[in-house]
Amino acid sequence: MSYANLSGARLSNINMEGVDFRYATLPQTDFHLSYLVGANFSNANLADAKLTEINMKNANFSGANLTGTVFNSSYLVGVNLNDATLDSAQLRDINMSRANLAGANLHNANLADSNLDNANLCGAIMPNDDISQIGCAAISVR
């Protein structure tokens, strides 16, 4: 599935564990209720995609475009979002403990009721446009 163009596709309620979506074109794709543990979305375009109520443990979104993407009520423990663009993304009520958000752009992102325990936020641009000054060690956010 790497480099595939699935713009606007409906891929909901499907087991896609470990699927390789590197460099895929996936804007407005609906993954609602799918199983994406260990999937690789590095450098993919998922702008305005729907990734709700999904288990994405240890998935890789490094360098991905996730502008306006909705992740609400999903499980993202250990997910890699290094250098990902999450501008205006909806990240409400999700578990992102141990996630790597180093260098991620979270401008205008909604993180309400989300768990960022032990997440790496080194150099991340936070929702209020502040560049994180916390260093590169994992932190605990409550």
Side-chain angles (χ1 to χ4, degrees), residues 43-64:
N43 299 298
N45 179 0
L46 290 125
D48 300 312
K50 184 178 182 182
L51 292 153
T52 55
E53 299 181 62
I54 295 175
N55 184 344
M56 292 177 268
K57 182 178 181 182
N58 297 324
N60 183 2
F61 290 93
S62 62

Side-chain angles (χ1 to χ4, degrees), residues 62-107:
S62 62
N65 177 6
L66 300 161
T67 302
T69 297
V70 179
F71 288 94
N72 297 344
S73 302
S74 290
Y75 187 79
L76 282 80
V77 170
V79 72
N80 183 1
L81 290 158
N82 183 55
D83 292 326
T85 301
L86 293 137
D87 188 7
S88 302
Q90 294 297 312
L91 299 155
R92 293 177 53 101
D93 191 32
I94 62 172
N95 186 345
M96 283 197 303
S97 60
R98 298 185 310 276
N100 180 9
L101 291 141
N105 180 352
L106 294 156
H107 174 75

